[in-house]
Amino acid sequence: MRVSVAGEDTQAGFTLLEILVVIVILGLLIGLVAPAVLRQLGGARVSIAHQSIARLGSVLDMYKLDVGSYPSTDQGLEALVQTPAGVSNWNGPYVQSGQVPVDPWNHPYVYRDPSDRAGHDYDLCSTGPNGTATGDNMICN
């Protein structure tokens, strides 16, 4: 851009150095902020997994009130969507979507009845972000 000031021609604009400084500052900000944002996102999904497991526990309790027992491991969470063979008093589907629920990372929940853990009627767990967590690393009821 050319600007004329009192008969004198000058050029206005940014120098390459100024543009590079701005790019470096933006890169530093992104480098510092992005990891914090990603940590918050990961923590939010874990929180959602805990909440979803608690809600599914309530749905399983409604199933037990109707049928008289929790679904077996073989029937799995599919029993909340379709009537299992040999089950009377089924009053479902028990989930609004009409589909078997998945965890926040789109992995299927692990369901076992009876539970492998003391003090629980059943196990309802998420295998976490990578879908491979086992044992104490799983997010469970």
Side-chain angles (χ1 to χ4, degrees):
M1 172 183 353
R2 295 183 73 73
V3 178
S4 179
V5 178
E8 183 179 314
D9 283 341
T10 59
Q11 291 185 347
F14 297 107
T15 65
L16 182 59
L17 182 60
E18 291 170 330
I19 292 172
L20 288 175
V21 168
V22 169
I23 290 172
V24 167
I25 290 171
L26 288 174
L28 287 172
L29 285 174
I30 290 171
L32 294 173
V33 172
V37 169
L38 292 176
R39 274 193 305 275
Q40 290 295 328
L41 178 61
R45 286 192 175 171
V46 170
S47 177
I48 289 170
H50 283 291
Q51 293 170 7
S52 296
I53 288 170
R55 278 194 310 273
L56 278 173
S58 297
V59 171
L60 286 165
D61 290 340
M62 288 185 344
Y63 178 94
K64 181 180 179 183
L65 286 173
D66 289 344
V67 175
S69 65
Y70 291 110
S72 68
T73 301
D74 292 336
Q75 293 168 336
L77 297 177
E78 184 70 30
L80 301 175
V81 178
Q82 294 180 343
T83 309
V87 172
S88 59
N89 297 330
W90 189 83
N91 195 24
Y94 293 90
V95 289
Q96 289 180 348
S97 67
Q99 298 176 357
V100 177
V102 292
D103 70 11
W105 300 276
N106 288 325
H107 302 123
Y109 285 103
V110 175
Y111 174 77
R112 288 183 298 264
D113 180 55
S115 174
D116 292 342
R117 300 174 299 140
H120 293 86
D121 294 324
Y122 58 86
D123 291 332
L124 180 59
C125 302
S126 168
T127 54
N130 57 11
T132 59
T134 57
D136 291 338
N137 295 329
M138 294 179 21
I139 302 166
C140 295
N141 60 329

